[in-house]
Amino acid sequence: MNKEIIEFIKETEKKITPEGIATTFSNAQKLMKLPKFIQNFIIRQNTKPNQYMGFVVEPYSLFLAYEITPEQVSVYLPDSYELEPISIFEHSDKKLCAIIGCFNVHTSVFWGSRYELYVIARNKTTNLISWLICDYESNTFHYDPGQGFLPATLQKSIFTTSYNGKLICDIESQNNRTRMDLIIDINQYNCIFLNQRLWIEGNLSIDYAGELDNNGNDPFGLIFDPMEMKCAQHIQADQIEIRQLDFGFINSQMKPFEACCFPFAQHYLTTVFPQGHMMKDENDLYAKISEIVGK
């Protein structure tokens, strides 16, 4: 690992402090009471001096891929996107898919757990594979451009590991039917190469869909070391002990066709208020990292 990447990791972590998170939490509780357009204005004004926030996904983040049909996700697919077959891993069969992501995260503005449901599609304008966020749950306050600041949505949120290598997920929503209860033995799996179009290109084009509409704003991208997206543990989907799983249009009768786990932290910088950008590939990421750590 070169010095530039180490400095990027340090820069990302340095932006995250307990004091900063506590201040943001206090302010968010006040902002929630304001109209959404005022919330957005305040955020834009306050983030002008420092547009980037640190976003660190902690080890053992989990991703489950489900095969879908166009009919299942028609209400989540904006006109500017079309479904395209994709896979989690480099040499796997590609299918139209939705992905559930589960992760613990600490950021410049909140610390907690996130559970997100994505539809994977191609942006017709940029031709980039994109992660479309169509639903999410969280055990802490959160913000999205379509709804502003919102309180936690979960009445129970457990996402952790045991001493003997079990990954345990048990969550339950406060207001809807979202429920996940599963256990995975992550001892037995090796890391293998990921599909780079999904994991690098896709993380440069993230958008909101369905009720989380991004108000016509451009897709946003994360800034990260591409090496953190090169490989992950290949989880045998049929070995996952799923006791219950209902999330958006995914239900317990559906079985994931692929799954992966990242046994290391992933470090991102992103803008506090989602913004479009010109990055399209790995070279653009390294150039952006050089620009950031060189300041």
Side-chain angles (χ1 to χ4, degrees):
M1 182 179 289
N2 65 41
K3 292 181 180 179
E4 199 167 63
I5 295 302
I6 291 175
E7 288 305 311
F8 175 75
I9 289 172
K10 289 180 179 180
E11 183 67 25
T12 303
E13 293 277 7
K14 196 167 60 177
K15 290 181 178 295
I16 304 167
T17 65
E19 182 181 4
I21 293 169
T23 300
T24 304
F25 182 81
S26 176
N27 291 338
Q29 290 180 309
K30 300 171 186 175
L31 285 172
M32 286 178 197
K33 301 173 184 178
L34 300 175
K36 184 180 63 179
F37 77 92
I38 296 179
Q39 294 183 37
N40 290 346
F41 175 78
I42 291 172
I43 291 171
R44 287 185 186 278
Q45 292 300 114
N46 288 344
T47 56
K48 280 181 179 179
N50 186 9
Q51 61 175 319
Y52 293 120
M53 61 175 264
F55 190 101
V56 178
V57 175
E58 296 173 6
Y60 304 109
S61 58
L62 174 69
F63 295 86
L64 308 173
Y66 289 81
E67 186 172 10
I68 56 172
T69 65
E71 292 74 26
Q72 279 178 290
V73 297
S74 58
V75 298
Y76 298 99
L77 202 64
D79 292 339
S80 55
Y81 290 91
E82 65 179 6
L83 296 177
E84 183 162 322
I86 201 73
S87 61
I88 284 181
F89 294 101
E90 184 178 19
H91 299 298
S92 301
D93 293 336
K94 296 176 176 56
K95 302 179 181 182
L96 301 181
C97 79
I99 292 177
I100 292 175
C102 311
F103 43 90
N104 294 321
V105 61
H106 56 280
T107 81
S108 303
V109 295
F110 68 89
W111 196 309
S113 299
R114 292 272 296 190
Y115 308 88
E116 301 185 340
L117 175 61
Y118 318 90
V119 169
I120 307 302
R122 182 181 62 84
N123 186 308
K124 295 178 184 177
T125 302
T126 64
N127 204 39
L128 296 177
I129 285 292
S130 306
W131 295 66
L132 305 183
I133 305 171
C134 28
D135 200 357
Y136 60 82
E137 301 279 358
S138 177
N139 67 353
T140 185
F141 77 91
H142 48 281
Y143 171 86
D144 69 68
Q147 301 181 84
F149 280 102
L150 296 170
T153 64
L154 292 168
Q155 62 177 328
K156 176 171 64 173
S157 175
I158 299 165
F159 188 68
T160 190
T161 55
S162 68
Y163 78 95
N164 61 345
K166 297 293 193 296
L167 183 62
I168 302 163
C169 178
D170 189 1
I171 72 167
E172 186 173 352
S173 178
Q174 293 181 16
N175 302 314
N176 58 48
R177 68 184 185 89
T178 302
R179 181 82 167 84
M180 285 196 286
D181 187 358
L182 59 87
I183 298 176
I184 302 172
D185 184 349
I186 55 176
N187 282 308
Q188 54 187 309
Y189 302 113
N190 295 321
C191 289
I192 68 173
F193 287 113
L194 295 165
N195 183 326
Q196 297 298 275
R197 193 169 185 210
L198 175 65
W199 292 99
I200 292 185
E201 182 179 309
N203 277 299
L204 297 176
S205 182
I206 302 170
D207 210 343
Y208 292 89
E211 294 182 359
L212 305 180
D213 181 27
N214 203 14
N215 296 326
N217 292 327
D218 291 335
F220 66 96
L222 306 174
I223 303 167
F224 55 94
D225 175 11
M227 291 303 296
E228 292 186 346
M229 293 293 184
K230 290 297 183 182
C231 67
Q233 284 183 297
H234 182 203
I235 306 297
Q236 292 293 335
D238 59 1
Q239 297 298 307
I240 302 173
E241 182 184 344
I242 300 178
R243 299 172 177 177
Q244 187 172 357
L245 201 156
D246 291 281
F247 193 0
F249 50 83
I250 304 296
N251 59 57
S252 294
Q253 283 68 51
M254 301 169 66
K255 303 301 179 186
F257 70 90
E258 273 192 310
C260 75
C261 175
F262 288 88
F264 49 83
Q266 293 167 300
H267 302 85
Y268 305 98
L269 288 181
T270 186
T271 51
V272 177
F273 196 92
Q275 296 178 7
H277 61 82
M278 300 301 291
M279 294 185 296
K280 293 183 180 296
D281 57 29
E282 191 169 325
N283 291 332
D284 292 338
L285 278 169
Y286 282 125
K288 192 68 176 178
I289 288 170
S290 294
E291 175 189 324
I292 290 169
V293 299
K295 288 180 178 178

